[in-house]
Amino acid sequence: MRVGVLTGGGDCPGLNAVIRAVVRKGVQEYGYDFTGFRDGWRGPLEGRTVPLDVPAVRGILPRGGTILGSSRTNPLQAEDGVRRVRENLAAQGIDALIAIGGEDTLGVAATLYEEHGVPCVGVPKTIDNDLSGTDYTFGFDTAVNIATEAIDRLHTTAESHMRVLVCEVMGRHAGWIALHSGLAGGANVILIPEHRFDLEEVCGWITSRFEAAYAPIVVVAEGAMPREGEMVLKDESHDSFGHVRLSGVGEWLAKQIEKRTGKEARTTVLGHVQRGGTPSAFDRWLATRFGLHAVDCVHDGDFGKMVALRGTRVERIPISEATAELKTVDPELYAEAGVFFG
């Protein structure tokens, strides 16, 4: 049995832990051979591979990023993409493919399995924690810890100058990072994509905070939108999955706050800092378990499935179920955070 492994979409802490677990268990318990595909779906599309064995995965558990590289390549949009993927998998003697990624990467895997018979197993990865069917995706915990530390640091400088500090975090359609880090970091306003915000209400919360002799911290997800207005874009370009580049809502919000309250406001955009560096202990644990269970899926011939965390158990669900809709923040959860606004 020869198994292919790829990591697609945005990188995140914990990818290497999955690769390590897949290879270690696959080699030691099942005697499998492994081939790594470079740069996400570009690897199977173009036949770009690297050797993947036990020596290749030694020492990578604490490393961020991915030793296989990643990209946002969509083979379903490439000319003869499906045919090229199937031919390259056959040329490498691949009997099964483990795809580690988020909504887009796993969406491709689901299509290849359901419509073209490619034997795929999915592993959920995204710092946004927005994949349905799993309680958590690895990478999320690390991103939240990084954002929380940043918010902790912003409190002291905000209070020193008595100014508003706006912290923009990642979150295109789901506000999980903003909600968790904002609550953990004691933010006074948390704005998420699931709930359009009222600018006057936000300014009211900020004014109230100053009246209590404290400097406000505003945490805003990059996809958050005002009640009257549209999503703020970095530019008009799209990737191969049709996503526009976000970022800019934090700067726009700071200018609006200054204009409406007369208080000085500054913006910190965390951006790719949230993706980088050493994974947290939880993400290493979760990624390792996902890798172990993914190779078991291959061994059982249970293709078209994604491994998912349900409580403390790792279970298998159809990849198509996990990618059918995004997991967004429940209004009741967001309402809980409202106690601390203002």
Side-chain angles (χ1 to χ4, degrees), residues 13-14 17 61-62 138 141-142 145 278-288:
L61 176 65
F138 68 87
D141 184 70
T142 303
N145 285 335
T278 299
S280 67
F282 179 83
D283 280 340
R284 298 186 205 189
W285 170 85
L286 181 57
T288 297

Side-chain angles (χ1 to χ4, degrees), residues 232-293:
V232 179
L233 307 180
K234 194 175 186 68
D235 56 46
E236 297 295 330
S237 62
H238 292 71
D239 64 22
S240 62
F241 289 97
H243 299 309
V244 293
R245 295 178 66 194
L246 299 185
S247 187
V249 67
E251 194 66 38
W252 175 86
L253 187 60
K255 291 178 180 178
Q256 292 296 319
I257 289 170
E258 280 197 344
K259 179 181 177 180
R260 293 167 184 255
T261 67
K263 300 295 184 180
E264 187 180 15
R266 294 288 184 271
T267 305
T268 296
V269 181
L270 296 187
H272 288 80
V273 169
Q274 296 159 91
R275 293 192 182 279
T278 299
S280 67
F282 179 83
D283 280 340
R284 298 186 205 189
W285 170 85
L286 181 57
T288 297
R289 292 191 69 201
F290 277 165
L292 297 175
H293 284 262

Side-chain angles (χ1 to χ4, degrees), residues 73-74 84 109 115 161 164 167 185 308 321:
T73 302
N74 184 354
R84 290 162 60 189
E115 298 182 14
H161 294 272
V164 183
C167 181
E321 177 184 320

Side-chain angles (χ1 to χ4, degrees), residues 106-331:
L106 296 181
V108 171
T111 299
L112 289 176
Y113 171 73
E114 293 178 353
E115 298 182 14
H116 305 284
V118 178
C120 294
V121 169
V123 178
K125 168 247 43 162
T126 168
I127 66 169
D128 292 329
N129 196 41
D130 59 2
L131 271 175
S132 296
T134 183
D135 291 347
Y136 287 99
T137 55
F138 68 87
F140 171 67
D141 184 70
T142 303
V144 168
N145 285 335
I146 291 168
T148 300
E149 181 180 355
I151 295 165
D152 286 346
R153 293 176 182 274
L154 291 176
H155 273 290
T156 58
T157 184
E159 291 169 7
S160 295
H161 294 272
M162 288 305 289
R163 59 166 60 125
V164 183
L165 280 180
V166 178
C167 181
E168 182 184 307
V169 300
M170 285 185 168
R172 177 181 297 273
H173 300 298
W176 293 107
I177 294 176
L179 180 64
H180 281 239
S181 64
L183 272 176
N188 312 111
V189 181
I190 301 170
L191 306 177
I192 62 175
E194 294 88 340
H195 182 88
R196 283 182 176 257
F197 60 87
D198 184 314
L199 196 52
E200 288 301 322
E201 185 176 41
V202 170
C203 291
W205 289 330
I206 287 169
T207 300
S208 172
R209 182 70 173 174
F210 276 115
E211 289 173 352
Y214 287 99
I217 300 291
V218 179
V219 175
V220 56
E222 61 186 351
M225 291 181 285
R227 189 168 296 170
E228 303 295 334
E230 300 298 329
M231 187 178 290
V232 179
L233 307 180
K234 194 175 186 68
D235 56 46
E236 297 295 330
S237 62
H238 292 71
D239 64 22
S240 62
F241 289 97
H243 299 309
V244 293
R245 295 178 66 194
L246 299 185
S247 187
V249 67
E251 194 66 38
W252 175 86
L253 187 60
K255 291 178 180 178
Q256 292 296 319
I257 289 170
E258 280 197 344
K259 179 181 177 180
R260 293 167 184 255
T261 67
K263 300 295 184 180
E264 187 180 15
R266 294 288 184 271
T267 305
T268 296
V269 181
L270 296 187
H272 288 80
V273 169
Q274 296 159 91
R275 293 192 182 279
T278 299
S280 67
F282 179 83
D283 280 340
R284 298 186 205 189
W285 170 85
L286 181 57
T288 297
R289 292 191 69 201
F290 277 165
L292 297 175
H293 284 262
V295 80
D296 285 343
C297 272
V298 171
H299 181 69
D300 295 341
D302 197 6
F303 300 117
K305 298 294 179 62
M306 183 191 85
V307 292
L309 185 69
R310 301 282 182 85
T312 59
R313 293 176 57 84
V314 176
E315 301 178 0
R316 303 173 188 178
I317 64 172
I319 300 176
S320 56
E321 177 184 320
T323 57
E325 62 180 6
L326 289 177
K327 181 180 68 179
T328 54
V329 174
D330 188 296

